[in-house]
Every structure is written in structure tokens, then in C-alpha cells.
Amino acid sequence: MKFYLAIFCSAVILANFSCAPGISGQRGVQQGVRGTVSVKEGNFMPGPDRKPGGNTGKVMQRTVYIYAVTTGAQAEGEGPLYKAIHQPLVAKVKTDEKGFFECKLAPGVYSLFTGEDGGVFFAGLSNGRGELNPVVVFAKRVTVCDIVVNYKAVY
């Protein structure tokens, strides 16, 4: 039973923070990262009075902080909220009113965080190496990352 619960939780987390290499051309950046930030708060538990896929969250303005790839050991706090990041800050971008952001980056691996109330950083995903919200940028490609800030949601 624990195995199936772990699989389910992993699927929910991966569905809520997805990053995939994409072909550039939608906006101005030709190499780097782009995406949207949305926020989910409240009860997302299934139930007889709930429609499947009824509440997908709201796009929100946030600041996206892009750090050199960061592990949990290089950040202060308990995930998904962190008080401090002990890696070099590479870039900081604000989303527009529709939650859209984009940033030109050199090829490499980065960690994306959103700035939250109280001066904390949100990172809702880590990989098998303990890297927080890792994003890989390839030469002449744009990686699309849609971030779902869901630490106030119940699944």
C-alpha cells in the first residue's frame, strides 16, 4: 500500500511542476527558460460534490529566482519552503499579470524558486540527486517550466 501511495504522490508532484525542453519561438528568448506560475490553495481532495479537474489554480505574479543547481543540503529550511539558498543567484525575473516569465540563460543546470510571503523561497520538486526544482537548459533551446505553487493545497 505504501508503494502505491508513493507512486501516487510522485505523480501529483510531477504533474504540478513540469519542465520540458521545447522549441523556442513563442517569445523573445532563444535560449533559456520560460513558463507560467500558478497558485493552488485549498482542498483538492476528490469527492462526490467535486468535478474532476475543476480547480486548476490561478495564475499569479511572482518573482522567480534562478540559482545555480541547488540541493536540499545547500538550502536552509524544510521543503517546500526555504529561508535561504546557499548557491549563486544567476537571475531574478518577475512574472507578468498572467504569470508568464522568461529568462535568457547559458546552457547548464539551474534550480528555480518562487519568492513567497515572509521572504521564503518555494521549491516543490526534487530529483533523485536531491536537486531542488532542477531545470536543464540546452544550447539554442528554451526549456518550458510551469511552476505550481501548492504548499497551501491539500490533495
Side-chain angles (χ1 to χ4, degrees), residues 66-153:
I66 303 168
Y67 282 88
V69 67
T70 305
T71 65
Q74 296 165 321
E76 286 181 38
E78 283 190 37
L81 298 175
Y82 300 92
K83 298 175 191 174
I85 311 300
H86 300 292
Q87 282 290 81
L89 178 65
V90 176
K92 173 171 84 167
V93 293
K94 287 191 175 201
T95 66
D96 66 13
E97 65 279 350
K98 295 180 182 176
F100 178 81
F101 70 94
E102 67 180 351
C103 184
K104 182 178 179 179
L105 296 169
V109 184
Y110 303 91
S111 287
L112 270 57
F113 298 85
T114 60
E116 300 299 316
D117 292 337
V120 296
F121 302 94
F122 171 81
L125 180 67
S126 66
N127 63 14
R129 294 183 297 273
E131 298 166 342
L132 303 173
N133 282 352
V135 176
V136 179
V137 174
F138 299 97
K140 300 179 185 175
R141 304 278 311 251
V142 175
T143 301
V144 178
C145 281
D146 294 323
I147 302 170
V148 178
V149 180
N150 61 358
Y151 66 94
K152 293 183 180 177

